[in-house]
Amino acid sequence: MRPARRGLARTHILIAAAIAAIAIATLLAMGRPPICTCGTIELWHGAVDAGNSQHVADWYTPSHVVHGFLFYALGWLLLRRRPVGERLVLAVLIEAAWEVIENTPFVIDRYREATIALGYTGDSVLNSAADIGWMVLGFLLAWRLPVAATVALAAALELLALWVIRDNLTLNVLMLLWPIEAVRAWQGGT
């Protein structure tokens, strides 16, 4: 038996793409809007308003890049003897599953009640597909960059989002799992 390839094989890329396609089809079947209900597609949506999570990128995009860093680290810790392509497939599976779960009424309502996303209605399918792509970018960066550079970039992305919108992956997870009223008030600018 030949040893497993250490890199990315075409098969890994095709499986990852199939997983993303299944997530997209699932979101469409769930009735998620394909694009922003405003009728436009923006590559960057810099305002913190109802357009968040509707376009290709916004201030929550850095959190999906950081997801890629974290999934790469998790794969390295638990599956380091497996090819990086297999670890990428697992990362895409986790991210795609999250994009579907995140757009269920339960999670959308949780965001509304526990975070500053009071008017959140879920993601457009375009945004969810882009989020999977941003995670893949983060994973590939973590694969190629030195650990110190990846950690520094993750910290910079988290701090940038915290500074600009008073939210980031860390606060998002905290507020979803264990809401703190003082954090919510600070995020709301009160």
Side-chain angles (χ1 to χ4, degrees), residues 26-49:
T26 302
L27 290 164
L28 289 168
M30 291 168 52
R32 300 303 315 153
I35 64 169
C36 180
T37 56
C38 65
T40 64
I41 296 174
E42 297 175 18
L43 294 179
W44 170 254
H45 185 81
V48 181
D49 59 17

Side-chain angles (χ1 to χ4, degrees), residues 59-127:
W59 283 110
Y60 290 95
T61 298
S63 70
H64 293 281
V65 175
V66 174
H67 286 177
F69 296 164
L70 295 172
F71 295 157
Y72 178 83
L74 182 66
W76 185 85
L77 285 171
L78 300 177
L79 304 167
R80 76 179 73 170
R81 295 191 187 279
R82 303 304 309 158
V84 72
E86 288 181 15
R87 292 182 266 151
L88 175 64
V89 166
L90 181 60
V92 170
L93 181 64
I94 295 167
E95 184 75 8
W98 170 247
E99 288 300 324
V100 171
I101 293 166
E102 178 185 33
N103 285 286
T104 62
F106 175 78
V107 176
I108 291 170
D109 290 344
R110 182 69 180 153
Y111 270 116
R112 286 186 194 146
E113 74 183 35
T115 72
I116 60 168
L118 299 175
Y120 180 67
T121 59
D123 299 359
S124 71
V125 176
L126 171 67
N127 180 261

